Amino acid sequence: MRREETTKNRHFLADKRWFMPITIAGFIAGTILISSFIKTADYSILCSLAKTRSIAVEEYSASPVQLQAIIHYATSSIVPQQNFKEISVTFDVLKKRSPCNFLVFGLGYDSLMWTNLNPNGNTIFLEEDPKWVQSVLKDAPILQAHAVKYRTELKEADDLLIHYRSEPSCYPSKAYLRGNEKCRLALTGFPDEFYDTEWDLIMIDAPRGYFPEAPGRMAAIFSAAVMARNRKGSGVTHVFLHDVNRRVEKVFAEEFLCRKYLVKSEGRLWHFEIPPASNTSSDDSAGFC
């Protein structure tokens, strides 16, 4: 290969490595601009579009966490867990629902992004590793994150499905989370905010689920389904599940989140829109689906 071709390829690889962080920074900057225009929408009747834009720029002040996020992703070569198309699925929903209550299972390199794509909303992260929580919050103390403990292990996945079908406290019409020690799939001992908040969006990208002793995402998937079915407010609950290429994630999604509620699939991400149980027929013999 000629020298100039080698140099060109190196530049291409470098550009590709930086594409994702820069794109995320653009996402966040775009969200800031959208928020600013929403704040000045009331002026549109009396003012020209040009004047409205001027007011938006003059009156809007980016928050510290938004500015921190833009700098972080613009200067980082670390790629988030999800790719551009997968992130866009959730972003499209956030553009319509934000500000909202957004629950994220997992704390990682994309946490600043999710917080900033939900401006003025309530975004909470749940993470299994206390040391990792401390490490992330040291650099980004504005994030709202909790260290949590799971009662399951990935190697128990098949047994947990059998257990759910024979344990009344796991049945769709009777399932609850806080203090439900009998149902091994119910998330218990979590922060009060987890139980007391009605979540509009739930992202499941944790806990770990790639070795036998890992907690697996069985309980997170089950509990997301329970919270969505118990929703009292209007509308559906949007649930996003990552890593559906893995057997356990796929099997539990089909059991609890339901194929009939799957509205979009992109890469390793599935997007479900789950209605409250009050809007559906209740039959425990049919399970959650």
Side-chain angles (χ1 to χ4, degrees):
M1 182 178 291
R2 292 181 300 177
R3 180 177 179 181
E4 57 267 26
E5 291 177 342
T6 302
T7 303
K8 183 178 181 180
N9 284 345
R10 286 176 179 173
H11 287 169
F12 172 77
L13 291 173
D15 290 344
K16 188 175 182 180
R17 186 182 71 246
W18 283 96
F19 172 77
M20 191 63 174
I22 292 174
T23 299
I24 292 173
F27 262 149
I28 297 168
T31 302
I32 292 175
L33 288 175
I34 291 171
S35 298
S36 68
F37 287 126
I38 289 174
K39 287 186 177 183
T40 60
D42 292 341
Y43 292 98
S44 60
I45 298 177
L46 302 177
C47 307
S48 65
L49 179 60
K51 187 175 181 181
T52 302
R53 288 178 177 172
S54 176
I55 294 172
V57 172
E58 290 175 1
E59 291 192 354
Y60 183 74
S61 178
S63 69
V65 69
Q66 289 172 327
L67 296 175
Q68 179 184 2
I70 291 175
I71 294 172
H72 171 78
Y73 289 112
T75 59
S76 174
S77 61
I78 298 176
V79 178
Q81 291 91 323
Q82 299 180 29
N83 63 36
F84 174 80
K85 290 184 178 180
E86 291 169 341
I87 290 172
S88 296
V89 174
T90 308
F91 181 50
D92 286 343
V93 177
L94 283 169
K95 284 188 291 187
K96 300 174 183 177
R97 294 295 298 269
S98 181
C100 63
N101 292 321
F102 186 15
L103 177 66
V104 182
F105 286 88
L107 181 69
Y109 298 116
D110 53 4
S111 296
L112 270 174
M113 175 190 70
W114 293 128
T115 294
N116 283 278
L117 293 182
N118 185 28
N120 302 313
N122 179 32
T123 305
I124 303 296
F125 301 91
L126 304 176
E127 169 60 41
E128 62 180 291
D129 185 350
K131 292 183 179 179
W132 178 243
V133 173
Q134 293 177 1
S135 175
V136 172
L137 293 184
K138 182 179 179 181
D139 295 329
I142 303 178
L143 294 177
Q144 299 183 68
H146 302 281
V148 295
K149 293 183 179 180
Y150 293 88
R151 299 189 291 163
T152 60
E153 291 187 347
L154 183 64
K155 61 186 178 184
E156 303 171 333
D158 293 335
D159 290 337
L160 287 170
L161 279 179
I162 297 173
H163 161 75
Y164 136 73
R165 292 175 180 136
S166 61
E167 172 52 55
S169 63
C170 294
Y171 291 172
S173 64
K174 301 177 181 178
Y176 63 98
L177 301 182
R178 195 193 322 243
N180 189 353
E181 301 293 340
K182 291 184 178 180
C183 180
R184 292 161 57 195
L185 281 170
L187 293 176
T188 60
F190 275 39
D192 288 339
E193 186 175 15
F194 171 74
Y195 304 106
D196 296 337
T197 304
E198 189 161 89
W199 302 103
D200 302 303
L201 279 74
I202 302 175
M203 170 71 71
I204 305 174
D205 206 357
R208 293 172 296 172
Y210 52 87
F211 60 94
E213 292 74 26
R217 298 178 186 174
M218 302 82 67
I221 294 171
F222 172 84
S223 297
V226 171
M227 289 189 287
R229 288 174 57 86
N230 291 340
R231 182 181 181 86
K232 299 297 188 295
S234 61
V236 300
T237 301
H238 296 268
V239 179
F240 306 88
L241 175 62
H242 198 225
D243 296 320
V244 295
N245 57 306
R246 302 194 300 214
R247 186 185 75 87
V248 169
E249 277 81 355
K250 185 175 182 180
V251 169
F252 274 73
E254 292 178 337
E255 182 70 36
F256 299 110
L257 302 179
C258 311
R259 277 275 184 179
K260 63 183 177 182
Y261 299 138
L262 178 62
V263 295
K264 189 159 187 177
S265 174
E266 184 62 63
R268 295 181 294 148
L269 184 81
W270 279 357
H271 171 204
F272 299 85
E273 293 183 0
I274 304 177
S278 58
N279 293 354
T280 62
S281 59
S282 179
D283 182 5
D284 285 339
S285 64
F288 278 73
C289 302

